[in-house]
Amino acid sequence: MTGDRDGAEATFDIVIVGAGFGGLYMLHLARKLGLKARVLEAGDGVGGTWYWNRYPGARCDVESMEYSYQFCPELEQEWEWTERYAPQPEILRYANHVADRFDLRGDIQFESRVRAAAYDDETGTWTIETEDGGVLTSRYLVMATGCLSSANTPAIEGLADFKGPVYHTGTWPHEDVDFTGLRVGVIGTGSSAIQSIPIIAEQAAELFVFQRTPNYAVPAQNHPLDPDYQREVKAHYGELRARASQTRNGVDTHPNDVSALAVSDEERQTEYEARWQNGGLPFMAAFNDLLVRQDANDTARAFLCGKIHEIVDDPAVAELLSPTNVVGCKRLCVDTNYYATYNRDNVTLVDVSQTPIEAITPDGLIVDGRAYPLDVIVLATGFDAMTGALLKVAIQGRDGATLKEKWAAGPRTYLGLMSAGFPNLFMITGPGSPSVLTNMLPSIEQHAEWIAACLGYLAEHGHERIEPTLAAENDWVDHVNDLADHTLYPTCNSWYLGANVPGKPRVFMPHIGYPTYVRRCEEVVAKGYEGFALG
Ligand code: NAP
């Protein structure tokens, strides 16, 4: 007996999990196909990542003119961004605008976290259960659950006993959090920490940053968007999108197709300096071999560490902030005043690389036998990335096999879109697709459009089921691994590798090379869904 939580009829053609950018667009496309659709969303609003990550300073590290949908030219023209890099509230407003503009809310069930989904091979349907007792059935199930949506809370002894508030950047409260006059401890120095630390430092009486591994950050050089510039981009939007679609990460980075070692020291310095002054992620496109040759990467490292030493007054602190790992091996951070924040009298950097945080007491934190009294703790400790949100749902495919067991040694997908043994289950930006290495919006659109076209094809050709063959999936997993092994990506303990979550298998999860990936997806379709079994 099925029924949604209101007891209403709950049989759908398609159920979509998540109302972030992926789920919203998938719903829009499903409706265009005439499918009866329902989106299940854990939060009480749309926006996904941008709904949850409300920490101070949260903003996108891809420029706002690019971090937007491109499927609807009118939407592209009518929305006005205010800054070069959009702050979280503005991106959330944009997601809400999209939901309203395309009248999507009527098919979204909010505050409905999906607990389980099971496939019945006889009927060819998925049964989906929500935590509040709803049961829905559908022919197709799309997981639009996001890559960075399952918060990683470290297992530090005593955390639950801390008497003040503990905030995770990825599940930040909706109310304003005011740090004025407080002693604050931030654990972590990834992108979320690097964005929030300068702002927390301005409010707090004292800020202690507990750093395990330093990260590279390039200034955002953020500024209000000049209306003339915005008009100019909009007048030629297609050209910008086309340029971006041909880069390795789907961002208009102006890649410089030259080896870092093929130019003089002076030319190299000039290129790095220009990219530092311009700001943001395009720094990584300064030369074409930064992520494939250690000696090339060393030049970028020397440049960035030089900058840290220039900005930070205390040489010992600058040294502690200087990473030793490969630049870009972990995602490059994009900051505003991060390094300069360590020149403030109320900010202390605490190295926990050699002696981990021992314990949290009701009054603070202990490192190497020393107590740090705190009023508030901020966990900027990241996510169980790419697989976390998918595996939180108990997904059971054909013959009772579970996704969790199948992926015990690492995720296995074909094209990052589907996994063998789980018919009619699609993932938007799943592991094995370029996803987190790209501008997420175009990657999301490409996946949603691929899935919609596939559903149209199935209907047109009288098929009811699709799933990858094991052979195609195995080849794809090998291919994704091979690509990573030819780069420097596997050399550090990044979340791309699952290395940030204790016990998670060390497997490089995203596919490297956006344009080749897109072409491969198109080729698969042109060859009649090569590598898939249709039934
Ligand atoms: P993250 O990059 O995984 O950083 C987590 C930090 O917490 C790391 O410094 C990690 O240290 C530290 N940590 C974890 N457990 C710890 C422990 N037990 N003790 C001490 N330190 C600990 O997470 P994030 O900053 O949330 O960023 C994740 C991703 O989200 C980014 O890479 C980016 O893709 C995305 N993001 C984007 C933006 C943006 O668009 N601007 C902003 C925020 C996030 P180790 O490095 O030693 O593990």
Side-chain angles (χ1 to χ4, degrees), residues 55 59 61 188-192 195 212-213 330-331 380 382 495:
Y55 60 85
R59 70 173 69 242
D61 58 7
T189 46
S191 296
S192 304
Q195 288 186 328
R212 189 164 66 186
T213 316
K330 293 184 177 184
R331 188 181 173 98
W495 56 258

Side-chain angles (χ1 to χ4, degrees), residues 481-492:
N481 287 334
D482 281 352
L483 288 173
D485 289 343
H486 284 92
T487 70
L488 299 172
Y489 275 116
T491 60
C492 69

Side-chain angles (χ1 to χ4, degrees), residues 405-474:
E405 283 161 15
K406 181 178 171 187
W407 287 9
R412 303 192 72 77
T413 72
Y414 180 39
L415 301 171
L417 279 160
M418 298 192 86
S419 192
F422 298 82
N424 294 354
L425 170 72
F426 297 89
M427 290 162 274
I428 294 189
T429 62
S433 74
S435 61
V436 292
L437 297 179
T438 69
N439 178 1
M440 287 303 286
L441 262 289
S443 275
I444 282 170
E445 281 183 308
Q446 187 251 337
H447 266 196
E449 285 166 11
W450 192 98
I451 295 166
C454 172
L455 300 186
Y457 180 93
L458 296 179
E460 214 174 288
H461 292 80
H463 296 299
E464 293 187 335
R465 296 168 201 220
I466 180 167
E467 73 173 285
T469 65
L470 207 49
E473 179 171 289
N474 289 341

Side-chain angles (χ1 to χ4, degrees), residues 62-80:
V62 173
E63 293 193 32
S64 37
M65 295 310 292
E66 292 193 63
Y67 193 81
S68 55
Y69 287 119
Q70 47 194 296
F71 69 87
C72 172
E74 295 78 21
L75 170 66
E76 226 175 20
Q77 292 295 323
E78 78 202 9
W79 184 263
E80 293 284 314

Side-chain angles (χ1 to χ4, degrees), residues 97-117:
H97 171 74
V98 170
D100 293 333
R101 191 190 194 285
F102 297 98
D103 195 21
L104 299 175
R105 291 182 202 277
D107 289 328
I108 305 174
Q109 191 175 307
F110 292 105
E111 295 180 271
S112 287
R113 188 177 284 281
V114 174
R115 194 186 68 72

